Amino acid sequence: VAVLGLQVHATAHLGVLGSCSPAATVSAPWSTLTRHPQVQRALLGLTLPLERLQEMKGRMLEAMDKGLRQHGHACATVQMLPTFICSMPDGTEKGDVLVAELCQNHVRTLWVTLPGDGNQSPQLMYHIFEMPEDIPHGTGEALFDFIAQCVKNFLQEIGSPQHRLPLGFVFPFSCRQTGLDKGELISWSKGFQCSDVEGKDVVQLLQAAISKQELYHVDVVALLNNTVGIMMTCSMREKPCEIALVMGSGTNCCFMAEAHVLEMVEVTSGRMCVNSEWGCFGDDGALDDVLTPYDQRVDQESSNPGERRFEKLVGSLYLGEIVRHAMLMLASEQALFTGVNTSILVSKDVLKTQQVLEITDNEDGMAKVQSVLEELGLQPSERDCSRVLQLCRAVVSRAAVLSAMGLAAVLSHMCHSRQLERLLVNVGVDGGLYQASTRFGEILHSVVRLLAPECVATLVPSTDGNGLGAAVVTAVALRLAAQQKKVEQLLAPLRLGREQLERIQALMRQEMERGLGQDSNADASVRMLPTYVCNTPDGTERGSFLALDLGGTNFRVLVVHVMEDGIQMASEIYVIPTAIMQGTGQALFDHIIDCIVNFQMKQELMDHVLPLGFTFSFPCQQLGLDKAVLLSWTKGFGATGCVGQDVVQMLREAAQRKQHVALKVVAVVNDTVGTMMACGYDDPRCEIGLIVGTGTNACYMEEREKVGTVEGNEGRMCINMEWGAFGDNGCLDEFFTSFDRQVDEKTINAGKQRFEKLISGMYLGEIVRHILLALVEEQVLFRGKASTMLQTKDIFQTKFLSTIETGPGCGRDGLPLQQVQDILHNLELDASFEDSVLVREVCHTVSLRAAHLCAAGMAAVVEKMRQGRGLEQLSVTVGVDGTLYKMHPHFSRNLQQMLRELAPRCDVTFLQSEDGSGKGAALVAAVASR
């Protein structure tokens, strides 16, 4: 790559960036013309080795990180200002948008019509209004009145209708935004210094001025700077542009940052465009070691000494001045223009950046230099022309490599924050410096590849980033507002408020009382089944016990050794084929006995008769500790000849058929009771069991005198609530949404287990799938196109909720949204980034409702226990198990938080069970044996 006009090796790029000096790498015939020591010193001062650039990239990253953090933002030089632009255009934006653009010397107003064709053929009308010279230095009121007057004159000129007109305001100064349509001016720059504006909301100031013009139908809906506009105009759905770079009179960069890294805003989901305002990089001294005497003099002569130091190294407003000061200093050292009057160089701005760019990009640079210098009356020699040519190239090249350094820092930040090995991204670029100099763009692109090799950046030139960009931002904001309204309407029924949850809590308590009553039990949806488990472990249990755990497509056989120093277990998992699940009861229990025999043979227990605890996780009416009548199958089971039968007796009969006499079933429990018992061994306060997995259920230790369905008033008995059926009698109908009904209708037990179908892992994915289909139908998601896979029942698994919600949307760390997109792409969905954000919101809404419903049910339980025991404050532990509770990243926290609100007089601790259904069954047997 030829940099600075010096022939260098492409692999090392060292003509500018490496260790060799410019003099050593200059090609003939000029090599002898630049060996003057002062000239070499000047060129080396403007040369940045690759190692230095990498070091500066690190400083830029540190400055960016400081700007993103709440505690460091106030003193950060790179402000990293949130813009509240969280979505890219998807091409469906349609309608008329008004734009007011404040420029250096004028105001431009535009009428933009977006046809909704992918933004391929927008129609623009515009008018430029020259700004009176006194406006930039007058009052803020005068400035905004002038802008509003321009808007009024423009609308009169084009004969606009009187319907509501959204307006995008391009305001090219640093603002601290608190919303898309709210932004306080931080400071003026670029020669503006209007009074009484800094620290005020510029949108409000413009809206007030527009109202003074009686333009009541014009609403300012979006505030942005020119950098953001460039990014938006360079974006297409197929190739979104996520970075914009301005290299003109000033410099700036914006990019789509992961929202979870923006500590200055409350938004933690998705992405938000950040306006870096990197022109101020180095104002804290971070650039001091690369500043030359020429840079120092340019800074001293500027209107804002000590400020915007980075911009003064790369902005076209300053490059001509840097070259002028370099020539002036070299002339004073007799290295240039010997014997020539150089007083013209003392005058500011006599050498324009445009002339410098023409010199560096001209094939015959020497002739162009000579022409420019002669226009200044300097009568240059060939040697003078050669040396000035090298200076111009050095200054422009340094600006390019510094811009590349900044862009490389942004790229690396994006790649790291998205947890990607490789980042592919489009970069929208604009500005006179980039447009006017081919050399500048070539150097920029080459150096970015060196400094950020993990990123592939494609530079996309912008067309009218300010005007069209503002229109697109405004149109995107309107599209999102309309879509969000539809989303809110669809999701509102799933967002249960405190009053609704208290109502559900009261209904659960009512159904619990009915379930415990001897006369009302038959009509209760919460069956409140006695388990005949009347004690929890006390730590004195000893011996070896078998356990059988049947509750799903897999089941386990265990041997549990309860010893003084703890519990030891061995287990084996066996599969129940679908044919057996849906076959006869005899075949099912014969298969279970075969597996038990297989296990005992492996464990060399065939000669031992051990007490067996049987975890049977289906609704049963228990008539004794070892007698349980199956009420109904759930979880996909449908074996015939079982409902209404004693499952322990069916197991014993199967053992007889298989001639397995060494079987001693002493207790049958469900997984909920087993969970409570397993946790009770570790925590004596554990008197509640909770399962939230494929299904859901709860049990608790009830005062026996409150249990009207069994005899006796002494002590307590564990009640298996079977709360999954809560609502089957219609008491919860007001809380079921259309999505819940759609899911219920397609199940094998329609109308049954209604509460479970709102909470458990078997159904949440299906609820989400139906919501996504509704959003597609509303043209809000996936551009209105659902894949065949999404229309397939059960394709959206509940584990996807856990994966999708493990991310920045619900915390500061986790799964990047790119990986959420990958999940959706695997379902053959054309998912944009914004689609991924919305899918995450749907998942969060469904899982949050499930957690809150579970909390309402649990609040009814603990409050009943507290009141039944006559306590002011109840302290109790809940043993809990189930994949949804354990694996979902936020379910447990949301459940516990809402429970504290609904039952403030109960101190509830949750203890996760370790093998409750296996170890717990053995402990029931152990307690019974004790």
Side-chain angles (χ1 to χ4, degrees), residues 602-619:
K602 286 183 178 179
Q603 296 292 325
E604 299 181 354
L605 294 172
M606 291 300 291
D607 297 332
H608 297 76
V609 180
L610 301 179
L612 183 145
F614 183 12
T615 297
F616 188 74
S617 303
F618 300 92

Side-chain angles (χ1 to χ4, degrees), residues 86-155:
C86 301
S87 182
M88 306 301 291
D90 67 0
T92 64
E93 292 78 19
K94 189 174 183 179
D96 299 322
V97 178
L98 192 59
V99 174
E101 177 191 355
L102 177 60
C103 303
Q104 190 80 33
N105 304 307
H106 61 267
V107 168
R108 185 169 67 136
T109 55
L110 301 93
W111 180 278
V112 182
T113 301
L114 297 170
D117 64 351
N119 299 328
Q120 296 299 306
S121 54
Q123 298 177 12
L124 283 79
M125 293 186 289
Y126 69 90
H127 190 113
I128 294 175
F129 297 88
E130 294 298 329
M131 191 185 304
E133 293 183 2
D134 60 331
I135 290 287
H137 303 283
T139 65
E141 184 178 9
L143 171 65
F144 288 100
D145 283 348
F146 176 72
I147 298 171
Q149 183 66 56
C150 294
V151 172
K152 183 176 183 179
N153 293 346
F154 177 62
L155 291 176

